[in-house]
């Protein structure tokens, strides 16, 4: 049995409530050793992971890891929010009573870490001193060393965050037990995995995966699900799957901040890392605050503020290259301590590769292994078309490595929010951008965000589904209550943000090419949005929002074919009318939806019919 007291003493972890919690789960899981880690332990843990074969060198202070081949994405099916109040049941949160789920998870975890080390990872999901810091402290317990190494990159990790709490009991208890990955029946009727957030007890119990999206509990479970619940319960804030960027206009000296929700694998990280297009770079600079999570609240001065609770980037590798995202390549350059997961790897040369890294894979396949570890050179002709890297392969690096990181990203104040955007992968109907100036209509638009499924979650790629506010996988309580809370928080701000819906993914119906080149050029519609807010352009009013007039978009240096441009700046009335019917069915599922949302829906439908 582990000597818990000695381990906690050695690390100086004095918070009595944390000590109780660690002792309880050390006993339950049967871990052989307990070890408290801080960011200062990174180099030693990296070496241990290399020695144990859990990581392999990927060139000049970078590392390669592979997750079990049936464990490569978030599992929404197996993710559950539990409370003691059935009124918290929503459409998407897979609510189950905590009286049922807690004992079930404890049974799964009992003895399941026998022979292993239980790492104690004390963390803070916010810049220190932020208004929301009281909801940001947590302690992840995990029996997987690579999870610790990811946590050190993705969150602020240190003992003092927990020792210094005003109320020693105010921290999230986040327990991760990996289990026997080869015998969990992933994706079968006998699936043994459970990813449970017991929201009203601020306790997270995840069993059966070591993939980041299921195992980095500070990020996914605390930063999003628990934060959403806490923000509502306290009436103080919103916890959202949003990127957060700053746009600096060198000519006027003004700074703007835009946050926005796109479903996983739909462009948040790329947008946050955006380098202004060459023709606009002299005037504008985009800075990175966050790429996956933002917490929003009304500050002392009455304005709406946002901050990124994370400390790192867990980015999609696919299609990252010098043209699409040079910033990402700098962020994972030699010396950054980056961990690559499930990309292709060459142990002899320590190189990594993923689809879209270069137009063609390395011509000489000698030594190259695919993401499962199988030699590429041994592939049969039938296997020739299979990807080398998993489509959801990832890189993990810290914010300090991101070249366009905002200078004030670590400041406690957060940043005032000028605009909130929603978007997703939608091959037709959704124009490049449509702006919405009314709060209820903005919330309505977020609630009816429809997008294609992606590989970041288990499911069918390309199938259209609703993903309210891009929060479908992270909904913690009922959607009706969520809409009310969103209207209340943002509605209380003295200056209202402008909303917009964006779509970088519209395709030509014949040959399927993307009608908009995307990536760096996505700055252009965002600049138009800020100009609209400032009254510098007027746009074109439609039932579903204000669209840019073609001449209002700055397209300098681009050559988008005229017919493509026309298509992405047009509303297809018939398709939209059909969509309104689908939306009605979608919204009807939600109990207690505020009247304002239904009114917005009816207004848009009527305007559309009148057009
Ligand atoms: P996130 O998961 O929401 O952070 O999405 P990412 O920014 O990681 O992007 C997911 C995938 O979409 C990656 O393969 C990107 O290369 C691709 N992507 C991102 N932005 C664009 C864009 O503007 N146009 C196109 N065509 N693809 C994009
Ligand atoms: P993503 O983040 O949204 O960048 O894919 C990880 C996730 O949501 O699983
Ligand atoms: Mn995400
Ligand atoms: Mn991302």
């Amino acid at each position: 049995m582990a000597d818990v007291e000695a381990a906690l003493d050695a690390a100086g972890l004095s918070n009595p409530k944390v000590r109780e919690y660690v002792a309880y789960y050390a006993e339950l899981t049967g871990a052989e050793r307990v070890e408290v880690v801080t960011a200062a332990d990174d180099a030693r843990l990296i070496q241990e992971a290399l020695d144990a074969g859990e990581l392999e060198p990927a060139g000049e202070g970078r590392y390669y890891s592979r997750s079990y081949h049936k464990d490569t994405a978030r599992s929404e099916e197996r993710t559950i929010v539990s409370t003691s109040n059935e009124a918290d049941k929503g459409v998407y949160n897979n609510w189950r009573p905590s009286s049922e789920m807690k004992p079930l998870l404890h049974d799964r975890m009992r003895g399941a870490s026998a022979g292993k080390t239980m790492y104690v990872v004390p963390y803070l999901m916010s810049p220190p001193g932020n208004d929301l810091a009281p909801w940001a402290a947590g302690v992840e317990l995990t029996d997987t060393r690579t999870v610790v190494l990811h946590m050190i990159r993705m969150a602020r990790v240190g003992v003092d965050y927990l020792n210094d709490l005003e109320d020693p009991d105010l921290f999230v208890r986040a327990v991760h037990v990996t289990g026997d990955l080869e015998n969990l029946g992933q994706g079968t009727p006998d699936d043994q995995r459970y990813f449970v957030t017991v929201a009203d007890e601020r306790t997270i119990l995840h069993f059966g995966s070591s993939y980041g999206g299921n195992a980095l509990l500070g990020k996914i479970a605390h930063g999003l699900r628990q934060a959403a619940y806490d923000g509502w319960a306290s009436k103080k804030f919103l916890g959202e799957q949003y990127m957060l960027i700053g746009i600096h206009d060198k000519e006027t000296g003004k700074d703007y901040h835009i946050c926005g929700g796109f479903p996983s694998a739909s462009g948040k990280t790329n947008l946050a890392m955006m380098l202004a297009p060459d023709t606009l770079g002299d005037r504008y600079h985009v800075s990175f605050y966050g790429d996956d999570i933002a917490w929003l609240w009304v500050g002392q001065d009455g304005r709406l503020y946002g901050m990124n609770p994370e400390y790192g980037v867990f980015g999609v590798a696919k299609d990252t290259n010098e043209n699409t995202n040079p910033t990402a390549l700098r962020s994972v350059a030699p010396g950054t301590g980056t961990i690559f997961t499930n990309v292709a790897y060459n142990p002899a040369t320590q190189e990594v590769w993923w689809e879209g890294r270069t137009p063609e894979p390395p011509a000489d396949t000698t030594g190259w292994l695919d993401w499962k570890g199988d030699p590429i050179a041994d592939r049969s002709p039938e296997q020739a078309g299979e990807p080398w890297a998993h489509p959801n392969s990832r890189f993990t690096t810290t914010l300090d490595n991101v070249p366009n990181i905002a200078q004030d990203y670590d400041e406690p104040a957060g940043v005032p929010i000028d605009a909130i955007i929603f978007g997703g992968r939608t091959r037709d109907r959704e124009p490049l951008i449509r702006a919405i100036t009314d709060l209820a209509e903005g919330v309505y638009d977020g609630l009816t965000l429809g997008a294609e499924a992606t590989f970041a979650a288990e499911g069918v790629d390309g199938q259209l589904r609703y993903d309210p506010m891009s929060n479908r996988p992270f909904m913690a309580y009922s959607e009706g209550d969520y809409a009310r809370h969103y209207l209340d928080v943002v509605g209380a701000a003295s200056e209202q943000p402008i909303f917009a819906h964006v779509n970088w993914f519209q395709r030509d119906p014949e040959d399927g090419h993307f009608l908009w080149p995307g990536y760096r050029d996505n700055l252009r519609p965002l600049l138009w949005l800020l100009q609209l807010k400032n009254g510098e352009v007027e746009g074109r009013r439609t039932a579903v929002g204000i669209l840019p007039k073609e001449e209002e978009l700055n397209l300098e240096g681009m050559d988008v074919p005229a017919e493509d441009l026309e298509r992405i700046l047009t509303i297809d009335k018939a398709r939209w009318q059909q969509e309104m019917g689908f939306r009605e069915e979608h919204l009807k599922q939600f109990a207690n939806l505020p009247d304002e949302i239904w009114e917005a829906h009816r207004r848009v439908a009527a305007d559309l019919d009148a057009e």
Side-chain angles (χ1 to χ4, degrees), residues 152-167:
I152 288 175
R153 282 157 183 72
M154 295 303 298
R156 294 167 176 86
V157 173
V159 168
D160 291 345
Y161 298 129
L162 274 294
N163 284 345
D164 298 346
L165 291 179
E166 222 161 274
D167 176 351

Side-chain angles (χ1 to χ4, degrees), residues 449-508:
L449 167 56
E452 289 158 28
T454 68
F455 279 109
E458 293 164 356
V460 190
D461 200 44
Q463 197 174 311
L464 205 73
R465 61 177 202 165
Y466 285 107
D467 188 339
M469 258 73 174
S470 81
N471 255 344
R472 175 182 172 132
F474 312 110
M475 278 290 177
Y477 54 102
S478 86
E479 288 79 5
D481 288 340
Y482 172 81
R484 180 73 266 156
H485 180 54
Y486 202 111
L487 290 167
D488 290 346
V489 171
V490 179
S494 54
E495 192 182 310
Q496 288 296 290
I498 192 165
F499 287 85
H501 198 112
V502 300
N503 181 23
W504 320 141
F505 299 95
Q506 202 174 146
R507 290 174 185 264
D508 183 279

Side-chain angles (χ1 to χ4, degrees), residues 74 220 241 264-265 268-269 292 314 394 474:
R74 270 192 286 105
I220 298 287
Q241 183 181 222
S264 200
K268 295 183 300 298
T269 300
D292 195 40
F314 180 58
R394 299 263 171 174
F474 312 110

Side-chain angles (χ1 to χ4, degrees), residues 194-207:
Y194 277 106
F195 309 117
V196 179
T197 297
V198 188
D200 55 355
E201 297 183 30
R202 306 191 82 220
T203 296
I204 295 161
L205 302 169
H206 279 209
F207 174 81

Side-chain angles (χ1 to χ4, degrees), residues 98-283:
S98 40
S99 58
E100 175 192 334
M101 295 316 293
K102 240 178 115 176
L104 195 156
L105 266 289
H106 282 174
D107 278 350
R108 291 286 141 102
M109 291 178 170
R110 192 163 289 116
S113 301
K116 293 188 175 181
T117 298
M118 175 194 270
Y119 296 96
V120 178
V121 186
Y123 65 79
L124 188 72
M125 297 305 291
S126 86
N130 179 270
D131 282 359
L132 303 181
W135 290 275
V139 179
E140 175 160 353
L141 308 178
T142 176
D143 58 7
T144 293
R145 187 159 29 207
T146 48
V147 170
V148 178
L149 291 167
H150 281 82
M151 276 297 288
I152 288 175
R153 282 157 183 72
M154 295 303 298
R156 294 167 176 86
V157 173
V159 168
D160 291 345
Y161 298 129
L162 274 294
N163 284 345
D164 298 346
L165 291 179
E166 222 161 274
D167 176 351
D169 210 14
L170 253 190
F171 66 95
V172 169
R173 289 150 171 84
V175 189
H176 169 244
V177 173
T178 304
D180 179 5
L181 292 174
E182 291 178 26
N183 291 293
L184 295 176
Q186 291 92 339
T188 72
D190 191 32
D191 205 321
Q192 303 291 306
R193 302 171 298 165
Y194 277 106
F195 309 117
V196 179
T197 297
V198 188
D200 55 355
E201 297 183 30
R202 306 191 82 220
T203 296
I204 295 161
L205 302 169
H206 279 209
F207 174 81
S209 168
S210 66
Y211 164 72
N214 301 314
L216 301 176
L217 303 187
K219 173 182 181 60
I220 298 287
H222 180 171
L224 289 162
R225 286 183 205 106
Q226 185 66 54
Y229 186 89
D230 288 345
W232 172 60
S234 66
K235 298 188 160 51
K236 284 217 158 47
F237 66 103
L238 294 164
E240 301 292 320
Q241 183 181 222
Y242 285 175
M243 61 87 215
L244 174 55
I245 56 175
I247 297 178
H248 179 68
D249 181 340
K250 297 175 204 170
E251 205 169 291
T252 62
K254 280 193 184 159
D255 283 296
Y256 301 94
H257 300 96
I258 301 180
C259 65
F262 312 169
S264 200
S266 302
K268 295 183 300 298
T269 300
N270 277 272
L271 197 64
M273 288 185 166
M274 185 166 54
L275 199 64
D278 290 335
T279 50
L280 298 180
D282 287 344
R283 172 148 183 201

